[in-house]
Amino acid sequence: MLILKHGEVAGLLAGREKEVIDLVAAAYQRHDEGRTVLPHSVFLRFPDRPRDRIIGLPGYLGEASHEGTGAAPATGHRGEEASGAGEVAGMKWISSFPGNVAAGLERASAAVLLNSLDNGHPEALIEGSLISARRTAASAALGARVLLGGRRPTGLTLIGTGVINREVLRFLAAELPGLDSLAVHDTDMARAKRFTADHARLLPGARIRHCATLEEALGAHDLVSFATTAATPHTGLDACPPGTAVLHISLRDLTVPAVLGAHNVVDDTDHVCREQTSLHLAEQHTGGRDFVHAPIGALLRGTARPVPQDGKPLVYSPFGLGVLDLALAAFVRDEARRGGIGTRIDGFLPGPTL
């Protein structure tokens, strides 16, 4: 068993945003090709504690297709291809306890367990909070790419100033290097100011604006990222400029009319239309899912028509597919093996039987 701690994961991922975006894009395309097995996430909730939860995300990501590329699969240990093209199976177990923030702790904590596809044995246990945050941010960067359709945003607005939007800022800076303006809004203005003081270096030289109201923030730029702890919808998008691209990462911020008035892109329709997300509520309201334009995998593969650029809001709502965590965890595991990083535990499992 290989054990990888948070600091080791952070070192292996440092400065590799573009590689991670490519890895996540490839996983989305494999999912759209039907090369994944992705059971619904399991939500563990607690009596009288509606904000706290622990989620289990099991999954399998099959090998990449090499048809028509002229490329042959890389060889080596199963799942160790540097390109991230190998197959991987396992599970992410992630908790969200929003009250941690007031106690000076991270809201989310996670572990990723990877299993051997040769014999099913667990073979790696990896601290997963950074993997989870960075695969989420890479997904957001891809969402921005798809929604914007090649146009340059006027700047970026972050709604919520926690870990996820920190990583979204990091990855959007890599995806959209011309960004030069940042607006932020949080229900705690002091927290918003600490955020920009700590993380403005991720967007060097950017003009920074602290917005006192949500409406001011939504009107500031035509690229917006929601990463909040909202449990129920609380806002529409009327304050946004025409054609605003909205990265609806926290999934429960937008009202049903806002969803129905937008072009909606998802990661997986079946997964996102559950657990009382804004899109689930829209489905319950309409009795169908016609408001979903396309999944991002199909848009990346070119098998769905591009998102219309007609002035309506463009909303990306990714539920968060476990195969993204597995793809990135396998990448981290393989880099650790190559570099001799981590702690190897012998005798974790029973020995061979006769």
Side-chain angles (χ1 to χ4, degrees), residues 196-207:
T196 53
D198 291 342
H199 306 306
R201 58 182 169 74
L202 297 174
L203 208 62
R207 299 183 302 277

Side-chain angles (χ1 to χ4, degrees), residues 268-299:
D268 184 290
T269 309
D270 287 337
H271 284 262
V272 79
C273 287
R274 59 192 296 259
E275 294 295 331
Q276 300 300 297
T277 65
S278 295
L279 276 74
H280 188 196
L281 298 178
E283 179 189 30
Q284 292 174 333
H285 179 78
T286 64
R289 299 174 176 178
D290 291 345
F291 55 86
V292 175
H293 174 76
I296 191 169
L299 291 164

Side-chain angles (χ1 to χ4, degrees), residues 98 100-102 105-108 129-130 133-134 136-137 157-171 182-196 198-202 225-230 249-250:
N100 284 356
V101 175
L105 301 173
E106 297 288 355
R107 174 188 62 83
S129 63
L130 191 59
R134 295 205 174 172
T136 299
T157 295
L158 301 178
I159 310 296
T161 54
V163 170
I164 297 301
N165 260 345
R166 177 195 71 198
E167 295 303 325
V168 169
L169 177 60
R170 184 192 309 277
F171 277 77
L182 175 67
V184 298
H185 173 73
D186 196 286
T187 54
D188 183 339
M189 179 62 82
R191 186 180 185 206
K193 290 182 177 180
R194 287 195 303 271
F195 178 92
T196 53
D198 291 342
H199 306 306
R201 58 182 169 74
L202 297 174
S225 174
F226 280 93
T228 75
T229 58
I249 307 304
S250 37

Side-chain angles (χ1 to χ4, degrees), residues 11-35:
L12 290 165
L13 291 178
R16 306 183 83 164
E17 288 79 23
K18 291 184 179 180
E19 288 178 80
V20 174
I21 291 172
D22 290 344
L23 194 74
V24 167
Y28 274 142
Q29 292 178 69
R30 280 191 262 175
H31 180 62
D32 193 66
E33 292 170 347
R35 297 177 181 273

Side-chain angles (χ1 to χ4, degrees), residues 113-231:
L113 182 69
L114 300 181
N115 292 79
S116 167
L117 282 159
D118 294 321
N119 55 29
H121 288 179
E123 60 180 8
L125 180 64
I126 305 171
E127 197 285 323
S129 63
L130 191 59
I131 286 172
S132 185
R134 295 205 174 172
R135 67 81 154 148
T136 299
S139 172
L142 285 169
R145 179 190 301 176
V146 166
L147 296 184
L148 290 168
R151 63 186 169 94
R152 178 181 174 180
T154 61
L156 170 65
T157 295
L158 301 178
I159 310 296
T161 54
V163 170
I164 297 301
N165 260 345
R166 177 195 71 198
E167 295 303 325
V168 169
L169 177 60
R170 184 192 309 277
F171 277 77
L172 285 175
E175 174 69 22
L176 300 167
L179 281 175
D180 59 5
S181 186
L182 175 67
V184 298
H185 173 73
D186 196 286
T187 54
D188 183 339
M189 179 62 82
R191 186 180 185 206
K193 290 182 177 180
R194 287 195 303 271
F195 178 92
T196 53
D198 291 342
H199 306 306
R201 58 182 169 74
L202 297 174
L203 208 62
R207 299 183 302 277
I208 296 174
R209 174 179 173 185
H210 296 99
C211 299
T213 67
L214 179 57
E215 289 71 22
E216 180 188 355
L218 291 176
H221 297 297
D222 57 0
L223 176 60
V224 177
S225 174
F226 280 93
T228 75
T229 58

Side-chain angles (χ1 to χ4, degrees), residues 23-24 27 30 35-39 56-62 79-81 84-93 111-117 123-126 128 131-132 135-136 320-334:
L23 194 74
V24 167
R30 280 191 262 175
R35 297 177 181 273
T36 63
V37 179
L38 200 61
L57 294 89
Y60 164 77
L61 180 64
E80 284 196 355
E81 295 86 342
E87 59 181 341
V88 58
M91 181 172 180
K92 178 176 76 169
W93 184 241
V112 180
L113 182 69
L114 300 181
N115 292 79
S116 167
L117 282 159
E123 60 180 8
L125 180 64
I126 305 171
I131 286 172
S132 185
R135 67 81 154 148
T136 299
L321 304 184
V323 291
L324 305 184
D325 300 281
L326 298 182
L328 187 50
F331 174 82
V332 168
R333 175 203 62 195
D334 299 341

